[in-house]
Amino acid sequence: MKRDDVILVRGGGDLATGTIHRLWSAGLKVLVLEAEHPAAIRRQVSVSEAVYEGGAVVEGMRAALVKTLDEAVVVWHRGDVPVMVDPKGELIPQVRPAALVDAILAKKNLGTTRDMAPLTIALGPGFTAGVDVDLVVETKRGHRLGRIIREGAAIPNTGVPGVIGGYGAERVIHAEKAGVFRNVCAIGDIVSAGETIAEIETPDSIRTPVTTRIAGILRGLLRDGCPVTPGFKVADVDPRREELENCFLISDKARCIAGSVLELIAANLWK
């Protein structure tokens, strides 16, 4: 496989998918590597859903789960995006990508190194430009969102979500105990403050309700049947009830980050 053919993206969550969609829209050949059990909550705009469903469609872009690089070639010929389960990046030496984007958003480096591709880019905190990767893109909402960092690191994770519609921490819901996540509501539902949107089933078959703190639209919800631990992010409520369509569209934040990634890759490939 030619080194100058493929842009490899590690991660297929909603922010990663914004970047994947932008690169795909620019006509680039993208390969996505995902974990065995992705835990995205904005599932309607995450190509990671292909791991469970065999395929996913986000704003006209089709992604398909493949098991081999030969299958990936077939998907590329269709003009689609292949997704492979390879959390450790074991296939990267075979792919020999022109550029690699770490879009796992784990707030720490899970194994990406500069020697994985001629150009390596990481999204968010946990990486140092010039050390772990060549470049870092800021992912924190605010004036610096999307800034390209050539030396140093992104703003450290504060644990406080960005403000949307006047709400920050209140809009994001975390699991209070360990167990299996069971959906009661669906993405796109209008919910009230204090409403039960899901339950956590413990090993002794006791179900604990997962409730909202504010009213709005259920923008993100963890997949039914996923195991969770205390503090695990499971849902996201958008207080702007008029923004229902946004549940199914790539976010402004993801698009901003994606523009910076495309800028860097275009400058490197076509200089």
Side-chain angles (χ1 to χ4, degrees):
M1 188 171 296
K2 294 181 181 179
R3 180 183 286 276
D4 59 1
D5 266 350
V6 181
I7 309 301
L8 192 147
V9 179
R10 302 190 71 184
D14 64 301
L15 291 184
T17 298
T19 289
I20 295 161
H21 192 280
R22 181 65 62 88
L23 298 175
W24 170 81
S25 297
L28 296 172
K29 187 183 295 183
V30 185
L31 173 64
V32 181
L33 301 187
E34 250 298 354
E36 298 97 331
H37 305 289
I41 62 170
R42 294 208 63 218
R43 293 179 285 112
Q44 300 290 348
V45 288
S46 298
V47 299
S48 58
E49 281 294 281
V51 174
Y52 297 105
E53 302 292 342
V57 181
V58 179
E59 292 195 29
M61 176 184 72
R62 294 183 177 276
L65 182 66
V66 300
K67 294 183 178 180
T68 67
L69 291 178
D70 286 340
E71 290 179 4
V73 172
V74 173
V75 173
W76 283 322
H77 284 165
R78 295 201 305 258
D80 299 337
V81 175
V83 179
M84 301 185 74
V85 174
D86 182 15
K88 295 182 179 180
E90 295 173 347
L91 284 169
I92 294 173
Q94 287 181 255
V95 178
R96 302 182 71 245
L100 181 147
V101 182
D102 188 309
I104 299 173
L105 279 298
K107 319 300 184 189
K108 59 183 179 180
N109 190 343
L110 297 181
T112 294
T113 57
R114 290 182 73 183
D115 61 1
M116 287 179 168
L119 175 67
T120 54
I121 304 166
L123 309 187
F127 301 86
T128 300
V131 179
D132 306 290
V133 292
D134 295 307
L135 301 150
V136 173
V137 177
E138 182 60 66
T139 58
K140 182 176 174 57
R141 284 188 182 273
H143 191 68
R144 294 184 177 274
L145 177 64
R147 294 287 180 110
I148 294 167
I149 301 167
R150 302 180 186 277
E151 292 184 7
I155 297 171
N157 180 36
T158 62
V160 179
V163 175
I164 293 179
Y167 293 96
E170 303 95 332
R171 65 180 179 82
V172 178
I173 302 168
H174 299 86
E176 294 185 357
K177 57 178 58 181
V180 177
F181 196 72
R182 301 296 184 191
N183 288 344
V184 172
C185 293
I187 291 174
D189 284 355
I190 302 294
V191 296
S192 303
E195 183 172 343
T196 296
I197 58 170
E199 297 175 328
I200 296 176
E201 184 178 4
T202 57
D204 53 7
S205 298
I206 295 175
R207 293 198 175 199
T208 300
V210 177
T211 59
T212 58
R213 297 172 63 184
I214 62 172
I217 300 168
L218 195 56
R219 187 173 78 144
L221 186 67
L222 189 65
R223 189 179 182 85
D224 186 82
C226 281
V228 296
T229 53
F232 200 88
K233 184 177 178 181
V234 297
D236 181 1
V237 177
D238 189 331
R240 304 165 298 176
R241 295 194 179 199
E242 70 277 9
E243 302 291 343
L244 177 60
E245 186 181 19
N246 289 351
C247 295
F248 311 98
L249 296 175
I250 295 168
S251 70
D252 54 346
K253 177 178 179 177
R255 289 188 182 281
C256 178
I257 294 166
S260 297
V261 175
L262 178 59
E263 174 187 330
L264 291 170
I265 290 176
N268 187 73
L269 292 182
W270 302 315
K271 60 185 176 182

